[in-house]
Amino acid sequence: MLENKNIIILLLLLTTSILSSQKDSLLVISIDSLTQDTIPVSDSLIIGLVDSTTNKRKSAPTDYRLSKDAIDKEITYSAVDSNITDVVNKEINLYDNANVQYEKTTLDADRITINFQENTAQGFAKKNQNGYVIERAKFSDGSSNGTYYEMKYNFNTSKAFVKNLKTQEGEFNILGEKSKFVPAKNDTITNEDKFYNQDAIITTCDLDHPHFGIRTRKMKFIPDKLAVMGPSQLELAGIPTPIILPFGFLPLIKGQSSGLIFPNNYEYNENLGFGLKEIGYYFPINDYVDLKVTGDIYTRGSHAIRLASSYKKRYAYTGGANVGYLNNRTENSEGVVTSNKSFSLGLRHNQDAKAHPYRQIGGSINISGNQYQQRANFDAQSALNNLYRSSFSYNYNFPDSPFKFSLGLEHSQNTQTNLVTVTLPSANLTMRTIQPFQRKNQVGDKKWFEEINLGYKAGIKNFVSTTDTTIFEQETLDNLKTGLSHGADLSFNTRILKYISVSPSVSYNEIYNLKKVVNRFDNTLLFDTIDIDTAQNITRIDTTFGSVIEELQNSFNVYRNINLGVAFNTQLFGTKQFKKGKIRGIRHILKPSVSFNYNPDTKSRYEEVVNTDTRLDYNDPYYYSPFPREPYSVNLSPLSMGINWSLNNTLEAKYYSKKDSTVKNLKLLENWQVRGNYNFAADSMRWSNVSISGNTRIFKGISTFNLTINLTPYELFQGTRDLNQYLTESKKFPLQLKNLSGTFNSGLTIKEIIDIIKGKGDKKPNLNEDRQQTKKKTNELPTITSIIENFRLSHTYRFSVVKDINNRDTFIVNTHTLGLTGNLQLTKNWSLGLGNISYDLQAKKFVYPALSFQRDLHCWSMSFGWYPDSKVYNFFIGVKSSQLSFLKYNYGQNTFGGSFGRG
């Protein structure tokens, strides 16, 4: 390179004098081989020069003539290695990371040749010594981008001819052996960029030689809109397959667009025949709402149709609705056709929290009729899911008021029993807790009466229980039950003797029902004949003198109840410290609680009775509640007046650790509770059982231990039933064990086990050390330990102690299992998954084991799952793209009779 500035200027002037004799229009340049230059256009004159010292353009002469073919925009170029000017051929050659920019067009290549006579730029990809491309060149024209092997671009027309063009449109990669680019400004009709490809392949694989694709002789595509193909053929690993498409349309739009929905499955069902699933059309109605219409069709007449719509408005709400209808037609061996019609209805709506300060509406509704999910799908999840629930509500918080109003519906459905329960509507008025006696102008400390709290709630419900096949019939309305409820509660909290908290309370509740349960005795004689021995024709005749029939009658009846109570709570702390030894301190926290409760006798007041037999000796009167179980349940109980007591315990210890010379905390008992009660109003057996329950962590938190113990003060009959006889009458002990149960749960990863063995269990994490270890593992080859360190071992041990028929304690092991879960990365692309390898040490067998293999095939994925205990297996192979989801194979067998896991 010349370093003398004067020599460079002299060469430029010499070049100008030579070129000035030419009549053709040409591009005159200012050159700096190591800096980026701007190239203007003139007619045999220098328009501008770049001063290499200031990097500024010098003033150009004004007396020049511009050719009609000249380029009227600046061209900026650069190169890392060198710029070589060929004056004779009117070319500039740029080498190594060459770059040319013209308007919105950018060319990046290993080598670029600019021809000023043809007004073209030609770019070439980087090749090795053997002539193979090792780095593709790049091309950009505003919104259109791509890579290539070789490209020739015309500055006047902005058209380009490309060899081995590769562009990405959404999930798709489009490769064309020969391509032509036509910019939007040359299209006067649609004003869109267009690519015309010859011998092209479209795929979701990002390799230069894709693993699969759809190859076509001719293709036209508009970026971010549409690709149109002629006759095409599916290729796998470069090998053509028998799958041929006469033509193809692939939407490339980013966002919503109308279009066909291809079937999810091409399946065969032994009862329905061959069929297409989820074929339909998608409609974007507007910016807020869309609609999808899909259906199924089978060769034996079965069909289905589904409507699904979703909507969304920013800062307001989101939601959707779906309706499904299904008619499965099956034919038996005798040619009789059975039609099973099912339906499904769904609605979801969620209001944004910013939409309204006082009003909220939202929820979901899911109704399925006549086993719609089980008939429409054949996977295990649809077969096992038998419970559907709905909840939708409108809530309004009254401003500057403690009241809140809600209106809604609830629905529950069991597809196994076909039972459907619906609450519609359900209205509630709730008042948050207030202090009605609190002074508006607070002066000094609060008075005791200012601590009185008042709450109120009222509601109305309509409830019906029916089946999924009769839900829309008149019978459902006839069985509708209506109930009203309202109640208030009053509470107060204060302290006595400084440390004891006292909380008296009273609550009152009323329930109004518009229907009443009536049991009447029907004295009609019933005969029940049962054959005992058909050979001897011996029979037994049972005669029942009448029966009890339950009816639901329209009647207004009221239930009232009141509850009184007062609770005493405090906390006691006991601490003992030691100056020497491993144990440095013990702390015991005891939280005793005693409460007195009174409930009046509602059983004798509201309970009704009916005879069960006309004969006095056999008559056993039946006592029942006249109040329906829904919509508001009523619990009739005798007089109750008693004391409830409980003791909550927490025991902690401090110990000295020699490893880091610090004192650490250790919880010995976490939340251990002892509780019971005494009923003064009971005529016998006033003392309740004593219950002890709690949990704690052992082995430095590795295991969790839960224990529940029931003690009784009474004698036991056959180990289960309490007798009305205190234990102290025959033994010295006031309590005896009735039953107990305990559970040990442990879980550790392989890495945690190794750290414990190495003595790292109590070591504080060191971020720098962890980073060094991670970097070291990345550079080292994987070991067996590093491969399995994320596997998790679990151990569960459940036991119980119960009384046998002779009142002897019997120890029973209920569960004893060892489990292993995790994922084993066999190679970079192969992995083994252990879903649940659990071994039952009691039954000596594996419990619900699950094994799976996954293989990453770059743009494809393959998996195999095996569930030996359920006799289920499945296999899947397919592309990872959702746009080409039909390129897959999914097979499986299960105990439900259909293909498992069909997508």
Side-chain angles (χ1 to χ4, degrees):
M1 179 183 296
L2 296 177
E3 299 181 356
N4 193 309
K5 181 174 65 175
N6 295 327
I7 297 177
I8 295 175
I9 295 175
L10 180 62
L11 289 175
L12 289 174
L13 294 176
L14 180 62
T15 304
T16 303
S17 62
I18 295 173
L19 296 178
S20 62
S21 61
Q22 303 292 331
K23 293 184 179 180
D24 296 336
S25 147
L26 55 102
L27 191 65
V28 180
I29 60 171
S30 41
I31 303 174
D32 188 285
S33 60
L34 297 179
T35 60
Q36 180 174 307
D37 301 0
T38 302
I39 307 174
V41 178
S42 72
D43 184 12
S44 304
L45 291 174
I46 297 180
I47 294 181
L49 294 174
V50 175
D51 191 336
S52 61
T53 59
T54 62
N55 201 27
K56 293 183 178 179
R57 182 174 301 283
K58 297 181 179 180
S59 300
T62 57
D63 53 342
Y64 60 86
R65 180 172 52 86
L66 189 66
S67 170
K68 64 178 181 179
D69 297 326
I71 303 174
D72 57 354
K73 303 293 182 181
E74 290 185 344
I75 301 175
T76 303
Y77 69 90
S78 66
V80 172
D81 183 83
S82 59
N83 301 345
I84 299 177
T85 303
D86 187 344
V87 178
V88 177
N89 296 320
K90 304 175 185 178
E91 291 182 348
I92 293 180
N93 293 280
L94 310 175
Y95 294 93
D96 195 3
N97 289 336
N99 173 269
V100 173
Q101 296 183 15
Y102 174 71
E103 293 184 311
K104 295 182 179 180
T105 303
T106 302
L107 300 181
D108 291 288
D110 179 62
R111 178 170 62 90
I112 296 178
T113 298
I114 303 175
N115 189 302
F116 302 123
Q117 186 172 359
E118 298 178 356
N119 291 332
T120 61
Q122 193 168 5
F124 302 89
K126 188 175 184 179
K127 297 181 180 180
N128 59 14
Q129 295 178 351
N130 298 323
Y132 293 104
V133 173
I134 58 176
E135 183 179 350
R136 300 176 68 92
K138 298 179 182 179
F139 160 76
S140 175
D141 188 73
S143 60
S144 301
N145 301 278
T147 62
Y148 59 92
Y149 282 3
E150 182 178 339
M151 170 184 283
K152 189 173 185 180
Y153 180 81
N154 190 296
F155 293 107
N156 289 334
T157 63
S158 297
K159 295 181 180 180
F161 294 90
V162 192
K163 291 183 179 179
N164 206 291
L165 175 66
K166 180 180 180 181
T167 61
Q168 184 173 4
E169 300 294 331
E171 285 190 78
F172 295 110
N173 289 297
I174 302 175
L175 290 85
E177 188 66 27
K178 296 181 180 180
S179 304
K180 178 182 179 181
F181 170 70
V182 179
K185 67 179 183 180
N186 289 359
D187 186 351
T188 59
I189 300 177
T190 60
N191 194 28
E192 295 172 325
D193 292 343
K194 294 182 178 65
F195 287 89
Y196 298 89
N197 290 340
Q198 182 179 349
D199 192 16
I201 185 170
I202 185 166
T203 177
T204 57
C205 184
D206 58 359
L207 299 179
D208 288 344
H209 300 283
H211 292 118
F212 79 99
I214 301 174
R215 184 172 294 279
T216 178
R217 290 288 300 168
K218 294 182 179 181
M219 174 190 293
K220 171 186 174 182
F221 76 88
I222 302 173
D224 298 333
K225 189 173 183 180
L226 179 69
V228 183
M229 300 180 295
S232 310
Q233 190 173 18
L234 176 65
E235 281 189 6
L236 297 179
I239 302 174
T241 68
I243 301 178
I244 298 176
L245 303 175
F247 60 89
F249 297 89
L250 289 176
L252 307 177
I253 292 179
K254 298 178 180 179
Q256 293 181 330
S257 63
S258 299
L260 289 172
I261 300 174
F262 288 96
N264 276 342
N265 279 318
Y266 306 88
E267 70 173 25
Y268 172 76
N269 185 290
E270 136 180 69
N271 297 319
L272 308 179
F274 289 96
L276 303 177
K277 287 184 68 70
E278 296 293 336
I279 185 172
Y281 204 85
Y282 175 79
F283 304 89
I285 298 176
N286 54 39
D287 293 339
Y288 308 103
V289 185
D290 65 357
L291 176 65
K292 182 171 68 172
V293 181
T294 58
D296 308 339
I297 185 169
Y298 290 86
T299 54
R300 297 181 184 174
S302 297
H303 56 274
I305 185 170
R306 302 176 187 89
L307 303 177
S309 177
S310 60
Y311 55 87
K312 180 177 182 179
K313 187 175 182 180
R314 185 176 295 182
Y315 307 123
Y317 48 77
T318 59
N322 58 79
V323 179
Y325 169 78
L326 172 69
N327 185 2
N328 276 2
R329 295 169 57 88
T330 57
E331 182 178 348
N332 60 16
S333 58
E334 298 178 356
V336 179
V337 177
T338 304
S339 179
N340 296 305
K341 299 178 180 179
S342 308
F343 73 92
S344 175
L345 174 64
L347 174 67
R348 66 186 186 280
H349 181 87
N350 295 300
Q351 179 178 309
D352 193 283
K354 302 177 182 178
H356 199 280
Y358 309 117
R359 183 176 63 245
Q360 300 89 32
I361 183 171
S364 63
I365 298 175
N366 301 286
I367 300 176
S368 178
N370 198 19
Q371 297 183 341
Y372 175 86
Q373 294 294 338
Q374 286 79 2
R375 297 183 190 276
N377 305 290
F378 307 103
D379 58 290
Q381 182 178 1
S382 298
L384 295 174
N385 185 20
N386 54 36
L387 188 63
Y388 298 90
R389 296 183 182 276
S390 303
S391 178
F392 203 92
S393 63
Y394 167 84
N395 299 280
Y396 185 80
N397 295 301
F398 293 92
D400 302 324
S401 171
F403 288 96
K404 175 184 177 181
F405 174 76
S406 63
L407 178 69
L409 67 88
E410 295 178 355
H411 154 263
S412 177
Q413 179 181 1
N414 191 315
T415 57
Q416 286 188 341
T417 62
N418 296 332
L419 181 65
V420 178
T421 61
V422 180
T423 303
L424 176 66
S426 173
N428 295 279
L429 180 65
T430 306
M431 183 185 74
R432 71 171 183 269
T433 302
I434 62 172
Q435 294 179 331
F437 304 109
Q438 187 175 7
R439 291 171 293 174
K440 293 183 179 179
N441 299 321
Q442 187 73 37
V443 179
D445 296 335
K446 280 188 176 183
K447 304 296 182 181
W448 67 269
F449 54 82
E450 292 184 273
E451 299 287 350
I452 296 177
N453 301 313
L454 175 65
Y456 177 80
K457 60 181 179 180
I460 180 173
K461 289 182 181 180
N462 283 333
F463 177 86
V464 67
S465 180
T466 182
T467 63
D468 56 4
T469 56
T470 61
I471 188 172
F472 296 112
E473 296 183 2
Q474 182 63 35
E475 179 185 356
T476 302
L477 294 177
D478 296 338
N479 294 330
L480 191 67
K481 302 174 185 177
T482 303
L484 300 90
S485 172
H486 79 107
D489 58 86
L490 203 65
S491 62
F492 170 69
N493 187 275
T494 187
R495 287 184 177 274
I496 61 174
L497 301 177
K498 192 178 180 179
Y499 300 108
I500 300 177
S501 175
V502 182
S503 303
S505 62
V506 56
S507 63
Y508 177 78
N509 188 35
E510 285 187 356
I511 295 176
Y512 305 90
N513 287 293
L514 302 185
K515 290 185 182 292
K516 180 180 181 181
V517 176
V518 176
N519 285 294
R520 62 180 181 85
F521 176 65
D522 185 0
N523 58 4
T524 304
L525 296 180
L526 299 178
F527 297 93
D528 185 16
T529 304
I530 302 175
D531 291 335
I532 297 177
D533 191 340
T534 56
Q536 300 180 5
N537 198 21
I538 300 175
T539 60
R540 184 186 70 201
I541 300 176
D542 290 339
T543 304
T544 304
F545 289 85
S547 61
V548 177
I549 300 175
E550 183 179 296
E551 296 177 347
L552 199 62
Q553 297 180 356
N554 294 326
S555 176
F556 183 81
N557 53 341
V558 184
Y559 168 82
R560 298 181 178 91
N561 188 30
I562 190 172
N563 178 271
L564 303 173
V566 58
F568 301 88
N569 300 279
T570 189
Q571 294 188 54
L572 302 175
F573 298 88
T575 304
K576 180 66 176 177
Q577 295 183 350
F578 307 97
K579 295 182 178 180
K580 298 181 180 180
K582 189 173 180 93
I583 304 298
R584 295 300 175 90
I586 296 177
R587 186 185 188 191
H588 180 212
I589 303 175
L590 177 65
K591 298 178 181 179
S593 175
V594 179
S595 63
F596 174 81
N597 293 280
Y598 171 81
N599 289 291
D601 183 8
T602 56
K603 185 174 182 180
S604 60
R605 181 177 181 180
Y606 294 108
E607 197 173 49
E608 297 185 1
V609 63
V610 63
N611 293 324
T612 59
D613 205 301
T614 57
R615 299 165 294 179
L616 295 178
D617 296 339
Y618 296 94
N619 183 33
D620 185 12
Y622 172 61
Y623 294 87
Y624 67 95
S625 171
F627 302 104
R629 289 181 292 273
E630 300 90 6
Y632 294 102
S633 61
V634 173
N635 182 24
L636 301 184
S637 60
L639 174 65
S640 175
M641 182 175 61
I643 295 177
N644 298 319
W645 59 272
S646 66
L647 298 172
N648 288 340
N649 297 267
T650 302
L651 186 62
E652 300 176 341
K654 286 188 175 182
Y655 68 96
Y656 179 77
S657 176
K658 294 182 180 180
K659 292 182 179 180
D660 47 12
S661 301
T662 58
V663 178
K664 298 183 178 181
N665 291 329
L666 175 64
K667 288 189 176 182
L668 302 177
L669 298 177
E670 298 181 37
N671 193 26
W672 284 80
Q673 186 180 72
V674 183
R675 61 183 181 272
N677 64 77
Y678 181 83
N679 188 0
F680 295 98
D683 55 359
S684 61
M685 303 180 69
R686 296 179 177 178
W687 287 101
S688 70
N689 291 336
V690 177
S691 175
I692 303 174
S693 61
N695 61 82
T696 189
R697 298 179 185 179
I698 56 178
F699 306 127
K700 297 183 180 181
I702 296 175
S703 300
T704 302
F705 176 60
N706 297 275
L707 181 66
T708 300
I709 303 174
N710 284 320
L711 304 173
T712 178
Y714 304 102
E715 295 282 358
L716 290 174
F717 175 71
Q718 294 184 349
T720 56
R721 193 174 68 180
D722 293 340
L723 298 176
N724 188 18
Q725 181 179 349
Y726 287 110
L727 191 64
T728 53
E729 296 179 6
S730 59
K731 299 178 182 179
K732 295 181 180 181
F733 302 103
L735 297 171
Q736 69 170 334
L737 178 67
K738 190 174 184 179
N739 56 67
L740 71 80
S741 61
T743 304
F744 286 94
N745 282 314
S746 305
L748 279 175
T749 63
I750 301 297
K751 184 177 184 303
E752 291 172 338
I753 295 175
I754 295 174
D755 290 342
I756 292 174
I757 296 174
K758 292 182 178 180
K760 298 181 180 180
D762 295 332
K763 188 176 180 180
K764 293 183 179 180
N766 189 321
L767 296 180
N768 293 328
E769 184 178 343
D770 291 344
R771 293 192 189 101
Q772 293 176 1
Q773 290 293 335
T774 302
K775 185 177 181 180
K776 184 178 180 181
K777 289 181 180 179
T778 304
N779 298 328
E780 292 180 351
L781 293 175
T783 62
I784 296 178
T785 303
S786 64
I787 292 175
I788 66 173
E789 66 180 7
N790 291 323
F791 274 76
R792 184 175 183 83
L793 291 172
S794 61
H795 174 245
T796 301
Y797 184 81
R798 294 190 181 95
F799 65 91
S800 61
V801 176
V802 298
K803 299 286 186 181
D804 62 10
I805 195 171
N806 297 318
N807 291 339
R808 291 177 300 187
D809 294 336
T810 303
F811 183 85
I812 300 174
V813 177
N814 304 103
T815 305
H816 191 193
T817 59
L818 289 172
L820 178 65
T821 59
N823 190 69
L824 180 62
Q825 197 70 33
L826 301 175
T827 64
K828 181 181 178 181
N829 298 320
W830 274 105
S831 63
L832 168 66
L834 303 180
N836 180 26
I837 304 298
S838 180
Y839 186 76
D840 191 339
L841 297 174
Q842 286 290 106
K844 296 182 180 180
K845 66 175 184 179
F846 287 97
V847 181
Y848 299 113
L851 295 173
S852 64
F853 289 91
Q854 293 86 30
R855 167 68 173 173
D856 187 352
L857 301 172
H858 188 252
C859 49
W860 292 64
S861 62
M862 181 179 68
S863 63
F864 172 78
W866 181 40
Y867 311 89
D869 200 60
S870 303
K871 298 180 180 179
V872 174
Y873 66 88
N874 56 58
F875 175 78
F876 171 85
I877 184 171
V879 298
K880 296 179 181 179
S881 168
S882 60
Q883 299 284 349
L884 301 178
S885 59
F886 58 90
L887 297 178
K888 66 179 182 179
Y889 177 72
N890 197 347
Y891 176 75
Q893 287 191 1
N894 61 23
T895 56
F896 301 104
S899 292
F900 182 82
R902 291 182 175 179

